[in-house]
Amino acid sequence: MSKRDYYEVLGISKGASADEIKKAYRKMALKYHPDKNPGDKEAEEKFKEAAEAYEVLSDDNKKARYDQYGHAGMGGAGGFGGGFGGGGMNMEDIFSQFGDIFGGQFGGGGFGGGSAQRQQLRGSNLRVRIKLNLEEMVNGTQKTIKVKKMKLAPGATSKTCGTCNGSGVQVKVMNTMFGQMQTQTHCGTCQGIGKVADKIPAGANSQGLIKDDVEVTINIPAGAREGIQLNVRGKGNDAPFGGTPGDLLVVVEEETDSAIKREGDNLHQELYISFAEAALGTQKEIPTVGGKVKIKVDPGTQSGKILRLNGKGLPSIDSYGKGDMFVHVNVWTPQNLSGEQREFFENQLKRGEMVAEPSGKEKTFFDKVRDLFN
């Protein structure tokens, strides 16, 4: 069965604000929460569906990707390198997200009335930066990098906390003028986890974790941009005592290209031609992010002319289509002439040939700038 549109799931328009998205999710989550609908599989599926929609639409990068490519851009449970799209969410993830939205009012998947619940153990996230060249950003690529992360040390074991017997909570009874009051708090021994370290190998920390280098493969989608953050689920630091690993957050940086300069989705490069080529016209082969292409330079081309190659720029991450490539033509003036070349130009000057004779149709600098945006 095909997935429903995320905006339809939450009952909002595509232009909904972040606050409207959050309110819509809150409404759906309250309506279909399992505690309100015990044993109702349809309600449970709608609860998961709403959480999946919120996970994508509440993140600017994921939302932009979804708006451009729809569910196809999510890559199933993967999306950007396996990091988003609710296909990979479990109920633990959803309840954690649910608790975040409602300010911790609910815990562990139930309406707990504010009582302490056993904490779900999760490793911390890691953040790394990765450099991409223009071709990799346009076409997408796969990178394998080394990440220094916390891992569960071989031989490390845990045992049930003896203070709370694995519940993660301690019950306290207080006598008041209204009678006895019972409250629950996180266990002070295990910090609400329910487990404590049993055997800790040499070199590991108090939670049985060691720092080690791990290779991680990252799938970079086409159209990635400087500053965009990709989420690789489960590749962050391990959690102690067999909990859920954190995520690896990958921030994209753009490598500077020696020939091609980027301006938004458009690309620019300089092309130098000789006097003879400018006067007679020529064909030149230039590099683009999609490979080399041949362009025609018309006879009588003036220095400063800008040639526009439609669709040879970067794919837009916010909409369909691509930017353009702008080739800035410069007529190269030789600085060291041979005797024969000097004699040729001197003869041209004597005969009054090859002199500057503007026709009045030449474009000014401001005309050229205006043309770039038309």
Side-chain angles (χ1 to χ4, degrees):
M1 186 176 67
S2 60
K3 284 188 177 183
R4 285 203 298 158
D5 179 77
Y6 287 147
Y7 293 99
E8 180 185 343
V9 170
L10 296 182
I12 55 177
S13 66
K14 194 171 182 179
S17 66
D19 189 52
E20 289 171 332
I21 293 171
K22 183 180 289 187
K23 286 181 179 178
Y25 171 59
R26 178 188 177 101
K27 180 180 177 181
M28 294 290 290
L30 280 171
K31 183 177 180 180
Y32 295 112
H33 194 284
D35 277 4
K36 281 194 170 184
N37 305 273
D40 189 337
K41 290 295 183 183
E42 183 179 354
E44 181 179 328
E45 289 304 314
K46 288 185 176 180
F47 182 68
K48 292 179 181 178
E49 188 180 41
E52 177 178 337
Y54 178 74
E55 185 202 13
V56 173
L57 300 184
S58 62
D59 184 290
D60 290 341
N61 291 333
K62 299 175 187 178
K63 182 176 181 295
R65 191 71 177 169
Y66 177 72
D67 288 345
Q68 183 177 3
Y69 296 111
H71 291 298
M74 302 298 98
F80 280 140
F84 71 84
M89 298 180 74
N90 54 38
M91 288 302 285
E92 179 182 308
D93 295 327
I94 294 171
F95 285 132
S96 174
Q97 177 195 76
F98 185 78
D100 291 342
I101 286 295
F102 292 87
Q105 180 182 354
F106 311 115
F111 292 94
S115 61
Q117 302 286 329
R118 177 173 172 174
Q119 290 191 1
Q120 298 294 339
L121 199 59
R122 189 174 187 276
S124 58
N125 294 336
L126 285 175
R127 187 186 299 269
V128 297
R129 295 183 177 273
I130 188 168
K131 287 194 173 184
L132 303 177
N133 59 38
L134 281 173
E135 184 177 354
E136 292 170 332
M137 295 173 76
V138 170
N139 301 317
T141 187
Q142 190 178 77
K143 295 276 191 179
T144 299
I145 62 173
K146 277 191 175 181
V147 177
K148 194 174 287 293
K149 58 174 282 184
M150 299 301 294
K151 291 178 56 180
L152 192 64
T157 60
S158 61
K159 61 183 180 181
T160 301
C161 176
T163 303
C164 64
N165 293 320
S167 68
V169 297
Q170 289 179 288
V171 178
K172 294 182 178 180
V173 178
M174 295 184 295
N175 293 316
T176 71
M177 60 183 295
F178 301 106
Q180 288 188 332
M181 292 187 65
Q182 180 175 293
T183 61
Q184 286 186 350
T185 60
H186 285 135
C187 175
T189 302
C190 65
Q191 305 304 314
I193 296 170
K195 294 181 179 181
V196 292
D198 184 16
K199 294 181 180 178
I200 299 178
N205 65 14
S206 60
Q207 295 179 319
L209 299 175
I210 57 172
K211 185 167 284 190
D212 196 10
D213 288 329
V214 177
E215 284 193 346
V216 179
T217 299
I218 304 166
N219 294 314
I220 309 294
R225 287 290 187 276
E226 168 87 22
I228 199 171
Q229 180 172 282
L230 314 179
N231 188 347
V232 187
R233 186 178 289 274
K235 297 300 182 180
N237 288 320
D238 284 353
F241 316 135
T244 304
D247 296 338
L248 178 65
L249 309 179
V250 183
V251 180
V252 171
E253 290 185 347
E254 180 184 335
E255 287 183 349
T256 302
D257 192 281
S258 59
I260 302 174
K261 307 302 178 187
R262 185 170 70 84
E263 182 186 39
D265 295 332
N266 297 323
L267 300 175
H268 298 261
Q269 67 170 295
E270 304 285 337
L271 173 64
Y272 288 89
I273 61 175
S274 67
F275 279 149
E277 289 172 324
L280 301 175
T282 185
Q283 278 195 340
K284 288 287 186 179
E285 190 175 66
I286 63 170
T288 70
V289 290
K292 291 185 176 181
V293 298
K294 283 187 176 180
I295 62 171
K296 180 183 178 182
V297 179
D298 293 329
T301 293
Q302 301 297 311
S303 188
K305 183 178 179 64
I306 300 174
L307 306 178
R308 183 174 191 164
L309 306 183
N310 291 328
K312 294 298 183 181
L314 295 173
S316 174
I317 199 168
D318 299 319
S319 61
Y320 296 102
K322 289 185 175 182
D324 301 325
M325 166 75 80
F326 293 95
V327 181
H328 301 255
V329 179
N330 297 295
V331 178
W332 178 256
T333 303
Q335 296 176 324
N336 299 303
L337 297 175
S338 66
E340 185 179 353
Q341 290 171 333
R342 180 175 293 277
E343 183 179 355
F344 170 77
F345 285 115
E346 286 175 346
N347 289 334
Q348 296 300 312
L349 288 176
K350 288 176 183 178
R351 291 198 294 263
E353 300 177 5
M354 293 184 68
V355 295
E357 294 179 345
S359 64
K361 297 180 180 179
E362 289 78 14
K363 291 185 178 181
T364 67
F365 169 78
F366 297 103
D367 291 332
K368 295 171 184 175
V369 171
R370 186 169 58 249
D371 286 347
L372 289 179
F373 299 96
N374 293 331

